Amino acid sequence: MTGKVLILGGSGRFGRNAAEAFWDAGWRVALFDRAKDDLLQAAQGMDVIVNGWNPAYTDWATQVPRLTEQVIAVARASGATVIVPGNVYVFGKEAPAGFGPDVAHAARNPLGRVRIEMEQRLRDADIPVILLRAGDFLDTAASGNWFDLQMAPSLKKGLLTYPGNPEVQHAWAFLPDMARAAVALAERRESLPQFTEVNFPGYTLTGQDMARLIGKTLEREVRVKRMAWWPVRLASLVWPLGAKLAEMRYLWDKPHHLTHESFDALLPDFQTTPVDEALAAAVAPVLKAGSDRPRQDHEAQDPATGA
């Protein structure tokens, strides 16, 4: 069952991939333009609204509640189902390794609390919501996430720069797959509970796993190099984003994965891209970007977009 979908944040990571997936599946896709569009008007007649808005970490406390209320208001007015990409921040440091719909949202840190409150507001809003929860993103473009901004550029030197313990399992989501899953859930939206929380299991990889798989793709050895956090901690004294990045550091040292039962129950026939192909697709634009321009040592990369 296809229909009309409004994409909020269509130039962002999830929004861009969702727009492409809905288009490929035969939906009529509208991209919301905050510079010129009225949200209430744009949402009229829509069957689905994809909330791909994601402000910078430093703006979450003020913007996430406001944007959530806007989405709720237009969903009520239009009757559309809202699809939200969820993350793993809600669980917190003390959660079990298997993150699932039955695990308490017990995060105590500020960013985790913002997400907990956002999700609870959506649960209480009396509108149809599909929350598709995933781990860190692997994209097909160099879109400024942890992988392409911090981890993969050093692959040119045969190194994967890893932000945590390379022996610890970490949850990853290949964005084209996650977007296809969002489409598949949207197409069966009328049979779902009003608030549907679904894990997107994706891949569970250690840093060593990732280096080995990328090495096979590149046909050369790739070694893991631990990322130094002290510059981030030092910069956080005057750089607000640095403090937010450090706040979420625990996820790189805490073993975790997304349980698969909720996903398998709804989409048992879903075909996931093989992990080696997903990593190859994520690596390619990073290496290409590095070869397209001369290196300028004075350029300072801002990891803000990797948040």
PDB file of all heavy atoms in Angstrom, residues 55-60 89 111 144 146 149-150 229 231-249 301-307:
ATOM      1  N   PRO A  55      18.537  18.347  14.899  1.00  0.00           N
ATOM      2  CA  PRO A  55      19.394  19.499  15.191  1.00  0.00           C
ATOM      3  C   PRO A  55      20.747  19.058  15.741  1.00  0.00           C
ATOM      4  O   PRO A  55      20.937  17.904  16.145  1.00  0.00           O
ATOM      5  CB  PRO A  55      18.605  20.266  16.270  1.00  0.00           C
ATOM      6  CG  PRO A  55      17.224  19.715  16.232  1.00  0.00           C
ATOM      7  CD  PRO A  55      17.334  18.306  15.734  1.00  0.00           C
ATOM      8  N   ALA A  56      21.677  19.988  15.791  1.00  0.00           N
ATOM      9  CA  ALA A  56      22.978  19.719  16.405  1.00  0.00           C
ATOM     10  C   ALA A  56      22.785  19.355  17.876  1.00  0.00           C
ATOM     11  O   ALA A  56      21.850  19.819  18.529  1.00  0.00           O
ATOM     12  CB  ALA A  56      23.875  20.943  16.277  1.00  0.00           C
ATOM     13  N   TYR A  57      23.692  18.524  18.386  1.00  0.00           N
ATOM     14  CA  TYR A  57      23.634  18.128  19.799  1.00  0.00           C
ATOM     15  C   TYR A  57      23.396  19.317  20.727  1.00  0.00           C
ATOM     16  O   TYR A  57      22.629  19.243  21.678  1.00  0.00           O
ATOM     17  CB  TYR A  57      24.953  17.488  20.205  1.00  0.00           C
ATOM     18  CG  TYR A  57      25.087  16.003  19.973  1.00  0.00           C
ATOM     19  CD1 TYR A  57      26.311  15.376  20.227  1.00  0.00           C
ATOM     20  CD2 TYR A  57      24.041  15.227  19.516  1.00  0.00           C
ATOM     21  CE1 TYR A  57      26.477  14.020  20.028  1.00  0.00           C
ATOM     22  CE2 TYR A  57      24.203  13.868  19.323  1.00  0.00           C
ATOM     23  CZ  TYR A  57      25.425  13.272  19.568  1.00  0.00           C
ATOM     24  OH  TYR A  57      25.584  11.931  19.386  1.00  0.00           O
ATOM     25  N   THR A  58      24.099  20.405  20.452  1.00  0.00           N
ATOM     26  CA  THR A  58      24.032  21.561  21.344  1.00  0.00           C
ATOM     27  C   THR A  58      22.663  22.226  21.340  1.00  0.00           C
ATOM     28  O   THR A  58      22.356  23.013  22.237  1.00  0.00           O
ATOM     29  CB  THR A  58      25.100  22.588  20.951  1.00  0.00           C
ATOM     30  OG1 THR A  58      25.021  22.842  19.539  1.00  0.00           O
ATOM     31  CG2 THR A  58      26.496  22.062  21.285  1.00  0.00           C
ATOM     32  N   ASP A  59      21.843  21.917  20.340  1.00  0.00           N
ATOM     33  CA  ASP A  59      20.506  22.509  20.240  1.00  0.00           C
ATOM     34  C   ASP A  59      19.388  21.543  20.626  1.00  0.00           C
ATOM     35  O   ASP A  59      18.211  21.907  20.562  1.00  0.00           O
ATOM     36  CB  ASP A  59      20.258  23.012  18.807  1.00  0.00           C
ATOM     37  CG  ASP A  59      21.208  24.119  18.407  1.00  0.00           C
ATOM     38  OD1 ASP A  59      21.588  24.910  19.296  1.00  0.00           O
ATOM     39  OD2 ASP A  59      21.582  24.199  17.225  1.00  0.00           O
ATOM     40  N   TRP A  60      19.741  20.329  20.992  1.00  0.00           N
ATOM     41  CA  TRP A  60      18.699  19.335  21.270  1.00  0.00           C
ATOM     42  C   TRP A  60      17.732  19.784  22.355  1.00  0.00           C
ATOM     43  O   TRP A  60      16.520  19.656  22.209  1.00  0.00           O
ATOM     44  CB  TRP A  60      19.345  18.012  21.680  1.00  0.00           C
ATOM     45  CG  TRP A  60      19.642  17.101  20.529  1.00  0.00           C
ATOM     46  CD1 TRP A  60      19.819  17.459  19.226  1.00  0.00           C
ATOM     47  CD2 TRP A  60      19.827  15.688  20.585  1.00  0.00           C
ATOM     48  NE1 TRP A  60      20.098  16.355  18.467  1.00  0.00           N
ATOM     49  CE2 TRP A  60      20.110  15.255  19.272  1.00  0.00           C
ATOM     50  CE3 TRP A  60      19.795  14.759  21.616  1.00  0.00           C
ATOM     51  CZ2 TRP A  60      20.334  13.919  18.966  1.00  0.00           C
ATOM     52  CZ3 TRP A  60      20.028  13.427  21.316  1.00  0.00           C
ATOM     53  CH2 TRP A  60      20.295  13.007  20.005  1.00  0.00           C
ATOM     54  N   TYR A  89      20.239   6.071  22.553  1.00  0.00           N
ATOM     55  CA  TYR A  89      20.606   6.933  23.681  1.00  0.00           C
ATOM     56  C   TYR A  89      19.686   6.766  24.883  1.00  0.00           C
ATOM     57  O   TYR A  89      20.068   7.072  26.007  1.00  0.00           O
ATOM     58  CB  TYR A  89      20.582   8.399  23.260  1.00  0.00           C
ATOM     59  CG  TYR A  89      21.613   8.810  22.248  1.00  0.00           C
ATOM     60  CD1 TYR A  89      22.403   7.881  21.578  1.00  0.00           C
ATOM     61  CD2 TYR A  89      21.794  10.152  21.941  1.00  0.00           C
ATOM     62  CE1 TYR A  89      23.333   8.275  20.646  1.00  0.00           C
ATOM     63  CE2 TYR A  89      22.727  10.557  21.008  1.00  0.00           C
ATOM     64  CZ  TYR A  89      23.492   9.620  20.360  1.00  0.00           C
ATOM     65  OH  TYR A  89      24.417  10.012  19.436  1.00  0.00           O
ATOM     66  N   LEU A 111      21.545  14.258  26.937  1.00  0.00           N
ATOM     67  CA  LEU A 111      21.098  13.891  25.592  1.00  0.00           C
ATOM     68  C   LEU A 111      20.153  12.693  25.634  1.00  0.00           C
ATOM     69  O   LEU A 111      19.168  12.638  24.901  1.00  0.00           O
ATOM     70  CB  LEU A 111      22.293  13.593  24.690  1.00  0.00           C
ATOM     71  CG  LEU A 111      23.172  14.793  24.331  1.00  0.00           C
ATOM     72  CD1 LEU A 111      24.370  14.346  23.510  1.00  0.00           C
ATOM     73  CD2 LEU A 111      22.381  15.849  23.568  1.00  0.00           C
ATOM     74  N   GLY A 144      28.959  13.197   7.062  1.00  0.00           N
ATOM     75  CA  GLY A 144      29.327  13.791   8.330  1.00  0.00           C
ATOM     76  C   GLY A 144      28.926  12.994   9.546  1.00  0.00           C
ATOM     77  O   GLY A 144      28.579  13.567  10.572  1.00  0.00           O
ATOM     78  N   TRP A 146      29.858   9.601  12.318  1.00  0.00           N
ATOM     79  CA  TRP A 146      31.070   9.132  12.993  1.00  0.00           C
ATOM     80  C   TRP A 146      31.973   8.352  12.042  1.00  0.00           C
ATOM     81  O   TRP A 146      33.192   8.511  12.052  1.00  0.00           O
ATOM     82  CB  TRP A 146      30.688   8.244  14.182  1.00  0.00           C
ATOM     83  CG  TRP A 146      30.598   8.968  15.477  1.00  0.00           C
ATOM     84  CD1 TRP A 146      29.474   9.288  16.173  1.00  0.00           C
ATOM     85  CD2 TRP A 146      31.692   9.486  16.260  1.00  0.00           C
ATOM     86  NE1 TRP A 146      29.779   9.965  17.328  1.00  0.00           N
ATOM     87  CE2 TRP A 146      31.140  10.090  17.412  1.00  0.00           C
ATOM     88  CE3 TRP A 146      33.071   9.478  16.110  1.00  0.00           C
ATOM     89  CZ2 TRP A 146      31.924  10.694  18.386  1.00  0.00           C
ATOM     90  CZ3 TRP A 146      33.868  10.079  17.081  1.00  0.00           C
ATOM     91  CH2 TRP A 146      33.287  10.678  18.204  1.00  0.00           C
ATOM     92  N   LEU A 149      33.473  10.733   9.034  1.00  0.00           N
ATOM     93  CA  LEU A 149      34.208  11.915   9.454  1.00  0.00           C
ATOM     94  C   LEU A 149      35.402  11.584  10.346  1.00  0.00           C
ATOM     95  O   LEU A 149      36.460  12.196  10.224  1.00  0.00           O
ATOM     96  CB  LEU A 149      33.266  12.873  10.197  1.00  0.00           C
ATOM     97  CG  LEU A 149      33.788  14.287  10.434  1.00  0.00           C
ATOM     98  CD1 LEU A 149      34.022  15.004   9.112  1.00  0.00           C
ATOM     99  CD2 LEU A 149      32.814  15.076  11.293  1.00  0.00           C
ATOM    100  N   GLN A 150      35.239  10.611  11.228  1.00  0.00           N
ATOM    101  CA  GLN A 150      36.274  10.339  12.219  1.00  0.00           C
ATOM    102  C   GLN A 150      37.015   9.019  11.999  1.00  0.00           C
ATOM    103  O   GLN A 150      38.204   8.930  12.286  1.00  0.00           O
ATOM    104  CB  GLN A 150      35.647  10.300  13.631  1.00  0.00           C
ATOM    105  CG  GLN A 150      35.011  11.605  14.050  1.00  0.00           C
ATOM    106  CD  GLN A 150      36.020  12.736  14.181  1.00  0.00           C
ATOM    107  OE1 GLN A 150      37.143  12.517  14.588  1.00  0.00           O
ATOM    108  NE2 GLN A 150      35.622  13.937  13.820  1.00  0.00           N
ATOM    109  N   TRP A 229      40.777  10.753  22.874  1.00  0.00           N
ATOM    110  CA  TRP A 229      39.667  11.593  23.339  1.00  0.00           C
ATOM    111  C   TRP A 229      40.142  12.841  24.072  1.00  0.00           C
ATOM    112  O   TRP A 229      39.343  13.759  24.302  1.00  0.00           O
ATOM    113  CB  TRP A 229      38.755  10.778  24.261  1.00  0.00           C
ATOM    114  CG  TRP A 229      37.774   9.945  23.497  1.00  0.00           C
ATOM    115  CD1 TRP A 229      37.935   8.669  23.072  1.00  0.00           C
ATOM    116  CD2 TRP A 229      36.464  10.342  23.054  1.00  0.00           C
ATOM    117  NE1 TRP A 229      36.826   8.238  22.389  1.00  0.00           N
ATOM    118  CE2 TRP A 229      35.897   9.242  22.371  1.00  0.00           C
ATOM    119  CE3 TRP A 229      35.724  11.520  23.181  1.00  0.00           C
ATOM    120  CZ2 TRP A 229      34.627   9.280  21.816  1.00  0.00           C
ATOM    121  CZ3 TRP A 229      34.460  11.571  22.621  1.00  0.00           C
ATOM    122  CH2 TRP A 229      33.922  10.463  21.939  1.00  0.00           C
ATOM    123  N   PRO A 231      41.881  15.449  23.186  1.00  0.00           N
ATOM    124  CA  PRO A 231      41.636  16.751  22.540  1.00  0.00           C
ATOM    125  C   PRO A 231      40.169  17.182  22.633  1.00  0.00           C
ATOM    126  O   PRO A 231      39.872  18.374  22.755  1.00  0.00           O
ATOM    127  CB  PRO A 231      42.056  16.508  21.089  1.00  0.00           C
ATOM    128  CG  PRO A 231      42.986  15.347  21.135  1.00  0.00           C
ATOM    129  CD  PRO A 231      42.442  14.474  22.221  1.00  0.00           C
ATOM    130  N   VAL A 232      39.253  16.210  22.569  1.00  0.00           N
ATOM    131  CA  VAL A 232      37.836  16.538  22.689  1.00  0.00           C
ATOM    132  C   VAL A 232      37.525  17.054  24.092  1.00  0.00           C
ATOM    133  O   VAL A 232      36.827  18.056  24.268  1.00  0.00           O
ATOM    134  CB  VAL A 232      36.966  15.296  22.367  1.00  0.00           C
ATOM    135  CG1 VAL A 232      35.483  15.615  22.562  1.00  0.00           C
ATOM    136  CG2 VAL A 232      37.222  14.814  20.933  1.00  0.00           C
ATOM    137  N   ARG A 233      38.068  16.346  25.103  1.00  0.00           N
ATOM    138  CA  ARG A 233      37.837  16.785  26.481  1.00  0.00           C
ATOM    139  C   ARG A 233      38.423  18.167  26.738  1.00  0.00           C
ATOM    140  O   ARG A 233      37.797  19.008  27.392  1.00  0.00           O
ATOM    141  CB  ARG A 233      38.436  15.768  27.458  1.00  0.00           C
ATOM    142  CG  ARG A 233      37.724  14.426  27.470  1.00  0.00           C
ATOM    143  CD  ARG A 233      38.106  13.618  28.701  1.00  0.00           C
ATOM    144  NE  ARG A 233      39.539  13.373  28.753  1.00  0.00           N
ATOM    145  CZ  ARG A 233      40.133  12.306  28.219  1.00  0.00           C
ATOM    146  NH1 ARG A 233      39.412  11.395  27.589  1.00  0.00           N
ATOM    147  NH2 ARG A 233      41.449  12.141  28.315  1.00  0.00           N
ATOM    148  N   LEU A 234      39.607  18.397  26.216  1.00  0.00           N
ATOM    149  CA  LEU A 234      40.247  19.696  26.409  1.00  0.00           C
ATOM    150  C   LEU A 234      39.460  20.794  25.693  1.00  0.00           C
ATOM    151  O   LEU A 234      39.192  21.859  26.267  1.00  0.00           O
ATOM    152  CB  LEU A 234      41.688  19.649  25.884  1.00  0.00           C
ATOM    153  CG  LEU A 234      42.532  20.919  26.071  1.00  0.00           C
ATOM    154  CD1 LEU A 234      42.679  21.236  27.548  1.00  0.00           C
ATOM    155  CD2 LEU A 234      43.894  20.743  25.415  1.00  0.00           C
ATOM    156  N   ALA A 235      39.070  20.522  24.452  1.00  0.00           N
ATOM    157  CA  ALA A 235      38.336  21.525  23.686  1.00  0.00           C
ATOM    158  C   ALA A 235      36.965  21.805  24.283  1.00  0.00           C
ATOM    159  O   ALA A 235      36.416  22.900  24.116  1.00  0.00           O
ATOM    160  CB  ALA A 235      38.191  21.060  22.238  1.00  0.00           C
ATOM    161  N   SER A 236      36.403  20.816  24.973  1.00  0.00           N
ATOM    162  CA  SER A 236      35.051  20.995  25.522  1.00  0.00           C
ATOM    163  C   SER A 236      34.970  22.109  26.555  1.00  0.00           C
ATOM    164  O   SER A 236      33.879  22.583  26.872  1.00  0.00           O
ATOM    165  CB  SER A 236      34.554  19.683  26.145  1.00  0.00           C
ATOM    166  OG  SER A 236      35.317  19.343  27.288  1.00  0.00           O
ATOM    167  N   LEU A 237      36.116  22.546  27.061  1.00  0.00           N
ATOM    168  CA  LEU A 237      36.123  23.660  28.006  1.00  0.00           C
ATOM    169  C   LEU A 237      35.612  24.938  27.356  1.00  0.00           C
ATOM    170  O   LEU A 237      35.046  25.804  28.023  1.00  0.00           O
ATOM    171  CB  LEU A 237      37.535  23.875  28.552  1.00  0.00           C
ATOM    172  CG  LEU A 237      38.122  22.714  29.365  1.00  0.00           C
ATOM    173  CD1 LEU A 237      39.580  22.989  29.703  1.00  0.00           C
ATOM    174  CD2 LEU A 237      37.301  22.480  30.626  1.00  0.00           C
ATOM    175  N   VAL A 238      35.815  25.050  26.033  1.00  0.00           N
ATOM    176  CA  VAL A 238      35.363  26.251  25.307  1.00  0.00           C
ATOM    177  C   VAL A 238      34.494  25.907  24.104  1.00  0.00           C
ATOM    178  O   VAL A 238      34.009  26.796  23.404  1.00  0.00           O
ATOM    179  CB  VAL A 238      36.578  27.077  24.835  1.00  0.00           C
ATOM    180  CG1 VAL A 238      37.327  27.646  26.025  1.00  0.00           C
ATOM    181  CG2 VAL A 238      37.518  26.234  23.967  1.00  0.00           C
ATOM    182  N   TRP A 239      34.296  24.607  23.871  1.00  0.00           N
ATOM    183  CA  TRP A 239      33.580  24.129  22.674  1.00  0.00           C
ATOM    184  C   TRP A 239      32.405  23.281  23.143  1.00  0.00           C
ATOM    185  O   TRP A 239      32.582  22.121  23.514  1.00  0.00           O
ATOM    186  CB  TRP A 239      34.547  23.315  21.813  1.00  0.00           C
ATOM    187  CG  TRP A 239      34.004  22.760  20.552  1.00  0.00           C
ATOM    188  CD1 TRP A 239      33.190  23.358  19.650  1.00  0.00           C
ATOM    189  CD2 TRP A 239      34.284  21.446  20.030  1.00  0.00           C
ATOM    190  NE1 TRP A 239      32.924  22.516  18.600  1.00  0.00           N
ATOM    191  CE2 TRP A 239      33.586  21.347  18.810  1.00  0.00           C
ATOM    192  CE3 TRP A 239      35.043  20.370  20.480  1.00  0.00           C
ATOM    193  CZ2 TRP A 239      33.633  20.196  18.034  1.00  0.00           C
ATOM    194  CZ3 TRP A 239      35.103  19.234  19.695  1.00  0.00           C
ATOM    195  CH2 TRP A 239      34.399  19.146  18.486  1.00  0.00           C
ATOM    196  N   PRO A 240      31.198  23.831  23.181  1.00  0.00           N
ATOM    197  CA  PRO A 240      30.059  23.096  23.746  1.00  0.00           C
ATOM    198  C   PRO A 240      29.815  21.742  23.098  1.00  0.00           C
ATOM    199  O   PRO A 240      29.426  20.793  23.782  1.00  0.00           O
ATOM    200  CB  PRO A 240      28.879  24.059  23.515  1.00  0.00           C
ATOM    201  CG  PRO A 240      29.504  25.412  23.472  1.00  0.00           C
ATOM    202  CD  PRO A 240      30.831  25.211  22.803  1.00  0.00           C
ATOM    203  N   LEU A 241      30.041  21.647  21.800  1.00  0.00           N
ATOM    204  CA  LEU A 241      29.801  20.363  21.139  1.00  0.00           C
ATOM    205  C   LEU A 241      30.731  19.279  21.671  1.00  0.00           C
ATOM    206  O   LEU A 241      30.354  18.121  21.785  1.00  0.00           O
ATOM    207  CB  LEU A 241      29.967  20.510  19.629  1.00  0.00           C
ATOM    208  CG  LEU A 241      29.780  19.214  18.836  1.00  0.00           C
ATOM    209  CD1 LEU A 241      28.368  18.672  18.995  1.00  0.00           C
ATOM    210  CD2 LEU A 241      30.123  19.423  17.373  1.00  0.00           C
ATOM    211  N   GLY A 242      31.965  19.663  22.018  1.00  0.00           N
ATOM    212  CA  GLY A 242      32.910  18.687  22.532  1.00  0.00           C
ATOM    213  C   GLY A 242      32.389  17.995  23.777  1.00  0.00           C
ATOM    214  O   GLY A 242      32.555  16.784  23.947  1.00  0.00           O
ATOM    215  N   ALA A 243      31.737  18.771  24.654  1.00  0.00           N
ATOM    216  CA  ALA A 243      31.174  18.183  25.874  1.00  0.00           C
ATOM    217  C   ALA A 243      30.071  17.193  25.535  1.00  0.00           C
ATOM    218  O   ALA A 243      29.922  16.150  26.198  1.00  0.00           O
ATOM    219  CB  ALA A 243      30.641  19.284  26.780  1.00  0.00           C
ATOM    220  N   LYS A 244      29.282  17.489  24.505  1.00  0.00           N
ATOM    221  CA  LYS A 244      28.197  16.586  24.099  1.00  0.00           C
ATOM    222  C   LYS A 244      28.754  15.308  23.484  1.00  0.00           C
ATOM    223  O   LYS A 244      28.229  14.209  23.729  1.00  0.00           O
ATOM    224  CB  LYS A 244      27.264  17.291  23.108  1.00  0.00           C
ATOM    225  CG  LYS A 244      26.557  18.512  23.678  1.00  0.00           C
ATOM    226  CD  LYS A 244      25.673  18.146  24.853  1.00  0.00           C
ATOM    227  CE  LYS A 244      24.904  19.331  25.381  1.00  0.00           C
ATOM    228  NZ  LYS A 244      24.090  18.996  26.576  1.00  0.00           N
ATOM    229  N   LEU A 245      29.797  15.429  22.707  1.00  0.00           N
ATOM    230  CA  LEU A 245      30.423  14.233  22.136  1.00  0.00           C
ATOM    231  C   LEU A 245      30.981  13.346  23.248  1.00  0.00           C
ATOM    232  O   LEU A 245      30.821  12.120  23.233  1.00  0.00           O
ATOM    233  CB  LEU A 245      31.534  14.631  21.168  1.00  0.00           C
ATOM    234  CG  LEU A 245      31.110  15.366  19.893  1.00  0.00           C
ATOM    235  CD1 LEU A 245      32.335  15.844  19.135  1.00  0.00           C
ATOM    236  CD2 LEU A 245      30.243  14.483  19.011  1.00  0.00           C
ATOM    237  N   ALA A 246      31.649  13.968  24.214  1.00  0.00           N
ATOM    238  CA  ALA A 246      32.207  13.207  25.324  1.00  0.00           C
ATOM    239  C   ALA A 246      31.115  12.558  26.163  1.00  0.00           C
ATOM    240  O   ALA A 246      31.308  11.470  26.721  1.00  0.00           O
ATOM    241  CB  ALA A 246      33.073  14.127  26.191  1.00  0.00           C
ATOM    242  N   GLU A 247      29.965  13.199  26.235  1.00  0.00           N
ATOM    243  CA  GLU A 247      28.831  12.655  26.997  1.00  0.00           C
ATOM    244  C   GLU A 247      28.407  11.292  26.477  1.00  0.00           C
ATOM    245  O   GLU A 247      27.986  10.420  27.241  1.00  0.00           O
ATOM    246  CB  GLU A 247      27.662  13.641  26.928  1.00  0.00           C
ATOM    247  CG  GLU A 247      26.410  13.223  27.659  1.00  0.00           C
ATOM    248  CD  GLU A 247      25.263  14.194  27.436  1.00  0.00           C
ATOM    249  OE1 GLU A 247      25.521  15.410  27.290  1.00  0.00           O
ATOM    250  OE2 GLU A 247      24.102  13.736  27.400  1.00  0.00           O
ATOM    251  N   MET A 248      28.506  11.090  25.169  1.00  0.00           N
ATOM    252  CA  MET A 248      28.062   9.841  24.560  1.00  0.00           C
ATOM    253  C   MET A 248      29.210   8.858  24.324  1.00  0.00           C
ATOM    254  O   MET A 248      29.016   7.821  23.701  1.00  0.00           O
ATOM    255  CB  MET A 248      27.348  10.125  23.228  1.00  0.00           C
ATOM    256  CG  MET A 248      26.141  11.037  23.345  1.00  0.00           C
ATOM    257  SD  MET A 248      24.992  10.558  24.672  1.00  0.00           S
ATOM    258  CE  MET A 248      24.593   8.872  24.222  1.00  0.00           C
ATOM    259  N   ARG A 249      30.381   9.165  24.849  1.00  0.00           N
ATOM    260  CA  ARG A 249      31.534   8.297  24.618  1.00  0.00           C
ATOM    261  C   ARG A 249      31.293   6.877  25.117  1.00  0.00           C
ATOM    262  O   ARG A 249      31.822   5.906  24.544  1.00  0.00           O
ATOM    263  CB  ARG A 249      32.758   8.892  25.314  1.00  0.00           C
ATOM    264  CG  ARG A 249      33.996   8.025  25.165  1.00  0.00           C
ATOM    265  CD  ARG A 249      35.184   8.589  25.920  1.00  0.00           C
ATOM    266  NE  ARG A 249      36.326   7.666  25.854  1.00  0.00           N
ATOM    267  CZ  ARG A 249      37.504   7.907  26.397  1.00  0.00           C
ATOM    268  NH1 ARG A 249      37.704   9.049  27.048  1.00  0.00           N
ATOM    269  NH2 ARG A 249      38.467   7.013  26.292  1.00  0.00           N
ATOM    270  N   GLN A 301      39.053  19.953  10.622  1.00  0.00           N
ATOM    271  CA  GLN A 301      37.762  19.292  10.502  1.00  0.00           C
ATOM    272  C   GLN A 301      36.931  19.523  11.761  1.00  0.00           C
ATOM    273  O   GLN A 301      37.432  19.411  12.872  1.00  0.00           O
ATOM    274  CB  GLN A 301      37.951  17.797  10.295  1.00  0.00           C
ATOM    275  CG  GLN A 301      38.430  17.429   8.921  1.00  0.00           C
ATOM    276  CD  GLN A 301      38.397  15.942   8.723  1.00  0.00           C
ATOM    277  OE1 GLN A 301      38.579  15.166   9.646  1.00  0.00           O
ATOM    278  NE2 GLN A 301      38.145  15.516   7.492  1.00  0.00           N
ATOM    279  N   ASP A 302      35.686  19.843  11.568  1.00  0.00           N
ATOM    280  CA  ASP A 302      34.769  20.038  12.680  1.00  0.00           C
ATOM    281  C   ASP A 302      33.907  18.798  12.821  1.00  0.00           C
ATOM    282  O   ASP A 302      33.149  18.482  11.902  1.00  0.00           O
ATOM    283  CB  ASP A 302      33.892  21.262  12.393  1.00  0.00           C
ATOM    284  CG  ASP A 302      32.950  21.573  13.536  1.00  0.00           C
ATOM    285  OD1 ASP A 302      32.900  20.780  14.499  1.00  0.00           O
ATOM    286  OD2 ASP A 302      32.253  22.598  13.465  1.00  0.00           O
ATOM    287  N   PRO A 303      34.048  18.052  13.909  1.00  0.00           N
ATOM    288  CA  PRO A 303      33.275  16.818  14.055  1.00  0.00           C
ATOM    289  C   PRO A 303      31.826  17.051  14.417  1.00  0.00           C
ATOM    290  O   PRO A 303      31.109  16.125  14.728  1.00  0.00           O
ATOM    291  CB  PRO A 303      33.999  16.092  15.199  1.00  0.00           C
ATOM    292  CG  PRO A 303      34.599  17.180  16.005  1.00  0.00           C
ATOM    293  CD  PRO A 303      34.959  18.265  15.035  1.00  0.00           C
ATOM    294  N   ALA A 304      31.368  18.299  14.347  1.00  0.00           N
ATOM    295  CA  ALA A 304      29.990  18.587  14.749  1.00  0.00           C
ATOM    296  C   ALA A 304      28.999  17.768  13.934  1.00  0.00           C
ATOM    297  O   ALA A 304      28.024  17.243  14.460  1.00  0.00           O
ATOM    298  CB  ALA A 304      29.687  20.072  14.571  1.00  0.00           C
ATOM    299  N   THR A 305      29.262  17.656  12.630  1.00  0.00           N
ATOM    300  CA  THR A 305      28.314  16.942  11.791  1.00  0.00           C
ATOM    301  C   THR A 305      28.378  15.445  11.988  1.00  0.00           C
ATOM    302  O   THR A 305      27.563  14.716  11.432  1.00  0.00           O
ATOM    303  CB  THR A 305      28.570  17.266  10.311  1.00  0.00           C
ATOM    304  OG1 THR A 305      29.942  17.049  10.025  1.00  0.00           O
ATOM    305  CG2 THR A 305      28.221  18.714  10.007  1.00  0.00           C
ATOM    306  N   GLY A 306      29.329  14.971  12.755  1.00  0.00           N
ATOM    307  CA  GLY A 306      29.399  13.553  13.053  1.00  0.00           C
ATOM    308  C   GLY A 306      28.599  13.178  14.286  1.00  0.00           C
ATOM    309  O   GLY A 306      28.575  12.027  14.682  1.00  0.00           O
ATOM    310  N   ALA A 307      27.960  14.166  14.901  1.00  0.00           N
ATOM    311  CA  ALA A 307      27.230  13.887  16.150  1.00  0.00           C
ATOM    312  C   ALA A 307      26.011  13.047  15.899  1.00  0.00           C
ATOM    313  O   ALA A 307      25.396  13.165  14.865  1.00  0.00           O
ATOM    314  CB  ALA A 307      26.820  15.185  16.815  1.00  0.00           C
TER     315      ALA A 307
END
